[in-house]
Amino acid sequence: AFKIRGFMHDVGRSYLSLEELKKEIEILSRYKINVFHWHLTDDQGWRIEIKKYPKLTEVGATRLEGEGTTHEGFYTQEEAKEIVAYAAERHIVVVPELETPGHELAAIAAYPHLSCTGEEVTPRIIWGVEDLVMCPGKGEMFPFLEDVVKEMVEIFPSEYFHIGGDECPKGSWKKCPDCQKLI
């Protein structure tokens, strides 16, 4: 009855192992879900390997929780391709999500120059909306995102590619002379 029957999993916040993802996809196929929206990046973690930017997973894939434990993990490009193929065998299309320009604290932790302030941070340990976002004014954000998207589209052959764009506070842009000049 419905062309798209989808499910979204936010591994940026709650990483799942490859085996756990496959179990989830198996269950989705039993319920005839045909789209798996894979939310791979957020303030709390960067979960997809980007070869041009290794710090995304070296730094952005690990956060130190409030009680001192770590939450970490990411998928290599080969593992992501494996998930895409596994899902396709079960008639499920994988749609990746790259959250930007807000909800990018994990990427900013890896590459601080991507923010307006350049301050060193760590991936966020709480949920909510982070005020520190990527800086379009410096001009470094766009080539970075182009490079990331180029690598991701090679992994994900779906018709759709989700680019977040929601919940991006503009406070840092209002204070940033580079952003104000761009505006």
Side-chain angles (χ1 to χ4, degrees), residues 66-137:
E67 67 278 359
T69 61
T70 58
H71 186 87
E72 61 187 337
F74 70 93
Y75 309 98
T76 66
Q77 290 187 8
E78 289 308 309
E79 289 171 331
K81 288 176 186 176
E82 183 179 333
I83 289 296
V84 168
Y86 189 84
E89 289 169 4
R90 286 148 185 82
H91 309 286
I92 298 172
V93 173
V94 178
V95 175
E97 179 175 349
L98 167 66
E99 189 67 51
T100 190
H103 288 292
E104 279 289 8
L105 202 60
I108 292 169
Y111 297 98
H113 69 278
L114 291 173
S115 74
C116 293
T117 65
E119 68 186 271
E120 291 193 17
V121 295
T122 59
R124 190 174 166 103
I125 62 170
I126 57 173
W127 284 203
V129 180
E130 172 60 46
D131 290 331
L132 188 60
V133 298
M134 288 189 161
C135 179

Side-chain angles (χ1 to χ4, degrees), residues 11-176:
V11 296
R13 293 184 176 106
S14 302
Y15 175 79
L16 288 180
S17 70
L18 216 53
E19 295 74 30
E20 291 169 313
L21 266 180
K22 286 181 177 181
K23 282 181 190 176
E24 192 170 84
I25 289 168
E26 190 65 41
I27 292 167
L28 295 177
S29 72
R30 290 181 188 164
Y31 286 96
K32 306 222 184 290
I33 302 296
N34 62 359
V35 175
F36 175 54
H37 180 133
W38 202 7
H39 190 334
L40 291 160
T41 68
D42 217 299
D43 289 327
Q44 292 78 16
W46 186 282
R47 305 294 179 210
I48 184 75
E49 173 190 39
I50 302 298
K51 292 180 181 178
K52 186 164 185 177
Y53 300 102
K55 285 185 178 180
L56 288 171
T57 50
E58 291 169 7
V59 175
T62 303
R63 69 175 181 265
L64 184 63
E65 299 286 23
E67 67 278 359
T69 61
T70 58
H71 186 87
E72 61 187 337
F74 70 93
Y75 309 98
T76 66
Q77 290 187 8
E78 289 308 309
E79 289 171 331
K81 288 176 186 176
E82 183 179 333
I83 289 296
V84 168
Y86 189 84
E89 289 169 4
R90 286 148 185 82
H91 309 286
I92 298 172
V93 173
V94 178
V95 175
E97 179 175 349
L98 167 66
E99 189 67 51
T100 190
H103 288 292
E104 279 289 8
L105 202 60
I108 292 169
Y111 297 98
H113 69 278
L114 291 173
S115 74
C116 293
T117 65
E119 68 186 271
E120 291 193 17
V121 295
T122 59
R124 190 174 166 103
I125 62 170
I126 57 173
W127 284 203
V129 180
E130 172 60 46
D131 290 331
L132 188 60
V133 298
M134 288 189 161
C135 179
K138 292 183 197 171
E140 296 172 20
M141 177 185 94
F142 297 107
F144 168 82
L145 291 172
E146 286 176 22
D147 292 338
V148 168
V149 169
K150 279 180 192 174
E151 288 193 37
M152 287 180 72
V153 296
E154 293 298 318
I155 301 166
F156 300 98
S158 86
E159 179 181 357
Y160 298 101
F161 187 106
H162 184 107
I163 297 175
D166 66 329
E167 300 178 330
C168 184
K170 295 163 188 67
S172 61
W173 295 350
K174 290 176 183 175
K175 297 176 200 168
C176 175

